[in-house]
Amino acid sequence: MAKSARLSGFPERLPAERVIEKRIIDILDHTFALHGFSALHHRAVEPLSQLAKDGEIDKEIFAVSRLHSEGTERNPLGLHFDLTVPLARFVTENANELSFPFRATRIQPVWRGERPQQGRYREFIQADIDIIADGELPGHFEVEIPLAIADAFARLAPLGVPPIRIVVNDRRLLEGFARGIGLTDIPAVLRSLDKYDKIGPEEVAKLLAADAGADERQQQLCLALAAIESDSPDFADEVRALGVSHPLLDEGLEALTTMLAAAAERAPGVLVAQLKIARGLDYYTGAVYETQLVGHEELGSVASGGRYDSLATVGKKTYPGVGMSIGISRLMAFVLGEDSGISATRGTPSAVVIAVTDEERRGEADAVAAALRARDIACEVSPSAAKFGRQIRYAERRDIPFVWFTDGEAGHEVKDIRSGEQTPADPQTWEPPAEDLRPRVTGA
């Protein structure tokens, strides 16, 4: 098969990189289980009508069609761009089988047709947690979700992952403020404020004027709001000092101050109110979150999410929810960086290669391998009965630490190819040192 060009934005990990990625996934999966989240796995496709109905995301969707369909599909499909829309559909289809509030976790790929850049891909792995209620979602879940994410990142710290800061806001606060100063194109206001860090306040002011129709006074008030940042509930005094009033603003302020007060007791300094955060997807209705690696803010948000009250509906019945997604592929951009100090001890699961004396005696090597595998020791049989030096070099190239000989001076013997030490061994009892049994991830 001819060598094909790489597809931009569709990463494929080398074996040692996949060891690191899988370790991260295992830690997240374990942490979310500790918090009571049930594991799901969504199908890859959804109807395009479902994917494109909320927010201006149609340009990001990869459409799917059968090669020989001849345009006959009545309900065209697309690859899901997140795991929240599929969860909403899953809940409405299976509501009678679920117990609410329903706690769900999913760790699987998603696809977006955006421009690839550092840490941003067209195919990437997300780890999501969500809590969905039947009818009413208490506000304390808006605290529980980011604190579960904070716990997950704390458990990644031994791998060298830096501390995080979760910046939070509330869509009700933003919308109430905008309406309180006389602006009515709320999506335009949110889109403008959400670009504050990328383009700066002066350009945001221009966007507010051009897209939301804001006059100079309204622009300055929006910029003053966007500049407020605090890990204390006292930030509400700064907002009120701007002299704006609206019932929705009061609702958002109460929710956000309650969140910060609760988080300060359980995880001081982790949650920070940052009133320029809006998040791009239109289905968010309450709390919104973005997560930064402290000292590596240039990577952007490595975990984000928010509250959505009307994404999952059946007739007049609604299932409000709140959730966050960790971008595992985005996180890997840091983990695999030159300065991270994170690496895998080896890319192959095998701890030992069983040497083959000659092809007629390959069965002896196979028997040793079977005995080791029965005791959960990963191994492989040498691919050829070459000279022992070549078989040792085969193990070296694959970073496999041990080679097993079936006919050493003392019978069965194992050689540690790093130290050169060779000792007698019994297939029924031998074990490698604990640190060599499985590939390990070592941190900074």
Side-chain angles (χ1 to χ4, degrees):
M1 181 176 180
K3 185 176 181 180
S4 60
R6 292 181 182 270
L7 290 178
S8 178
F10 295 87
E12 292 180 309
R13 304 294 182 197
L14 293 169
E17 295 172 345
R18 178 57 181 165
V19 167
I20 297 171
E21 187 173 62
K22 191 174 184 301
R23 178 60 182 148
I24 291 173
I25 290 171
D26 289 344
I27 291 173
L28 297 179
D29 189 54
H30 175 70
T31 305
F32 297 154
L34 292 176
H35 286 259
F37 291 93
S38 299
L40 299 177
H41 188 91
H42 296 309
R43 66 196 189 196
V45 296
E46 299 290 338
L48 282 176
S49 57
Q50 183 72 21
L51 291 172
K53 75 173 186 177
D54 287 286
E56 297 182 3
I57 41 72
D58 53 301
K59 66 179 181 297
E60 297 181 349
I61 298 172
F62 280 104
V64 176
S65 62
R66 291 187 298 115
L67 185 60
H68 300 294
S69 65
E70 298 180 356
T72 58
E73 284 112 332
R74 296 181 179 179
N75 197 1
L77 303 175
L79 296 173
H80 55 228
F81 59 85
D82 74 356
L83 298 175
T84 307
V85 172
L87 178 64
R89 187 263 310 156
F90 177 88
V91 167
T92 58
E93 290 180 350
N94 297 280
N96 292 336
E97 309 298 326
L98 302 176
S99 176
F100 293 95
F102 179 56
R103 308 165 74 88
T105 178
R106 292 87 67 218
I107 302 179
Q108 62 184 101
V110 298
W111 296 266
R112 293 183 189 175
E114 55 187 25
R115 183 173 65 86
Q117 50 189 297
Q118 182 189 20
R120 299 184 71 91
Y121 308 101
R122 290 173 172 169
E123 178 182 18
F124 52 100
I125 299 174
Q126 283 190 179
D128 279 38
I129 53 172
D130 291 82
I131 301 174
I132 294 187
D134 182 352
E136 182 178 350
L137 182 74
H140 63 81
F141 288 128
E142 295 183 11
V143 184
E144 185 172 342
I145 286 289
L147 292 184
I149 294 294
D151 184 19
F153 273 92
R155 293 170 186 269
L156 292 173
L159 303 186
V161 175
I164 61 167
R165 181 178 67 156
I166 301 178
V167 294
V168 299
N169 200 0
D170 196 291
R171 281 283 189 90
R172 291 163 292 190
L173 187 159
L174 291 174
E175 180 175 349
F177 189 90
R179 294 191 183 282
I181 62 175
L183 296 176
T184 57
D185 190 345
I186 306 305
V189 174
L190 297 179
R191 286 195 301 269
S192 300
L193 292 179
D194 205 42
K195 296 178 180 178
Y196 190 99
D197 283 337
K198 293 182 179 179
I199 64 176
E202 292 184 5
E203 293 302 316
V204 168
K206 294 177 183 178
L207 279 180
L208 287 167
D211 297 346
D215 60 28
E216 186 172 348
R217 171 183 167 275
Q218 292 167 328
Q219 294 168 33
Q220 293 308 310
L221 283 170
C222 285
L223 293 178
L225 181 75
I228 294 174
E229 180 175 324
S230 175
D231 62 357
S232 166
D234 295 340
F235 81 91
D237 295 335
E238 297 182 59
V239 177
R240 294 189 178 98
L242 296 176
V244 179
S245 61
H246 191 277
L248 203 55
L249 172 60
D250 295 337
E251 185 180 339
L253 272 176
E254 181 180 358
L256 194 52
T257 54
T258 299
M259 184 193 305
L260 284 186
E265 294 181 0
R266 297 166 59 184
V270 173
L271 263 64
V272 177
Q274 198 175 87
L275 303 192
K276 59 193 172 186
I277 299 298
R279 299 294 301 146
L281 295 172
D282 288 349
Y283 55 63
Y284 293 127
T285 55
V288 287
Y289 318 96
E290 290 189 355
T291 305
Q292 302 164 344
L293 296 178
V294 175
H296 300 273
E297 289 79 4
E298 73 281 356
L299 282 176
S301 180
V302 294
S304 59
R307 176 174 180 139
Y308 44 94
D309 285 297
S310 56
L311 187 61
T313 60
V314 179
K316 295 182 178 181
K317 194 172 187 61
T318 62
Y319 299 92
V322 60
M324 288 185 71
S325 305
I326 296 178
I328 293 177
S329 299
R330 175 79 63 89
L331 189 58
M332 286 290 289
F334 165 79
V335 170
L336 298 179
E338 294 181 0
D339 300 327
S340 73
I342 300 172
S343 62
T345 54
R346 62 181 188 265
T348 174
S350 299
V352 57
V353 172
I354 296 90
V356 177
T357 304
D358 61 60
E359 289 300 336
E360 292 183 357
R361 298 176 59 187
R362 178 172 288 273
E364 296 177 11
D366 290 335
V368 173
L372 295 176
R373 290 167 186 154
R375 295 190 295 111
D376 290 334
I377 299 174
C379 61
E380 57 191 86
V381 176
S382 178
S384 67
K387 292 181 179 180
F388 285 156
R390 292 186 60 184
Q391 296 187 60
I392 290 172
R393 285 194 294 274
Y394 169 81
E396 288 175 336
R397 288 195 301 270
R398 291 173 56 75
D399 293 322
I400 300 172
F402 297 96
V403 175
W404 188 292
F405 300 102
T406 59
D407 57 354
E409 292 182 4
H412 289 275
E413 295 182 348
V414 168
K415 183 184 185 72
D416 184 332
I417 63 175
R418 299 161 298 186
S419 66
E421 182 181 6
Q422 189 163 320
T423 57
D426 184 339
Q428 303 302 323
T429 59
W430 179 83
E431 290 186 0
E435 63 269 21
D436 293 324
L437 182 60
R438 305 275 186 269
R440 292 179 298 108
V441 179
T442 59

